[in-house]
Amino acid sequence: MDPVDKLIAVEDASEEAIRPEYIEGMVIVPPHPDYQHNDAALSLVIHLREAGFRHSGIGTGFRAALGTTTQSLVVPDFFVLHRRPSEVDEAYRKAHRGWYSADLLALVGEVTSSNHEVDSGPKYRAYAAAGVPVYVLIHRKEDKAYAFSDPVSHEGDARYKTTSEVKLGDPLPLPSPYPALDTSALLRG
């Protein structure tokens, strides 16, 4: 069964509004985010937009594929695109029932919820395997922020070669051309 069909079946069977994802051959239903989660993601998108990264946003789904085979279907908490989606990108999204190509992604970010293991494990590997240049992880349980860059994939092992780590509250350095992210607004208060 096509992974998109699996997700549609899960959505149809749910009594609540959900947006499941497909990672490492599994359907994952993220928990409903709390206010602090959404506030953190929105703060980071606003910071990126104010720094001139106009093609940033939240709530959009992306499909990573190897040939015609879907590898993952993910909805990052925030992202920056390489460019504005073209008519070709919109046709791809229509053909894949609401999922843009992960090739558009220049940076993705996740803010952990109760599923922090998914963000630091399967999603980390999925973004690296898709070749997303930068993955930002706001790990609320650890009170840390991470920036992973330089994705590599070898014989099914996908990871990032470079990692920056700071305590929440400190600026998180990102690779050029991005600004350091201000994480002070993400402190629990």
Side-chain angles (χ1 to χ4, degrees), residues 38-169:
N38 290 342
D39 187 58
L42 186 57
S43 293
L44 294 169
V45 167
I46 290 169
H47 181 75
L48 288 163
R49 282 186 172 239
E50 287 176 346
F53 294 92
R54 174 73 184 101
H55 305 301
S56 56
I58 57 175
T60 302
F62 296 91
R63 176 182 180 263
L66 186 58
T68 59
T69 304
T70 299
Q71 299 298 303
S72 60
L73 298 163
V74 293
V75 182
D77 291 328
F78 62 96
F79 61 86
V80 175
L81 303 179
H82 289 292
R83 59 180 167 69
R84 180 180 189 86
S86 67
E87 287 182 22
V88 171
D89 298 313
E90 294 300 339
Y92 180 98
R93 185 176 83 78
K94 185 176 181 183
H96 295 284
R97 295 174 284 170
W99 300 89
Y100 283 103
S101 171
D103 293 342
L104 282 170
L105 293 167
L107 177 149
V108 294
E110 297 289 351
V111 177
T112 61
S113 295
S114 59
N115 66 337
H116 54 269
E117 295 91 356
V118 171
D119 293 333
S120 58
K123 277 195 172 182
Y124 166 91
R125 293 186 295 274
Y127 291 137
V132 177
V134 180
Y135 174 37
V136 174
L137 176 63
I138 306 302
H139 203 304
R140 295 190 301 164
K141 183 176 180 182
E142 294 180 354
D143 286 327
K144 291 185 179 180
Y146 300 88
F148 304 103
S149 57
D150 305 314
V152 293
S153 190
H154 179 70
E155 296 180 4
D157 177 36
R159 61 183 178 79
Y160 286 93
K161 291 191 303 187
T162 306
T163 304
S164 296
E165 172 187 336
V166 298
K167 290 174 23 178
L168 285 185

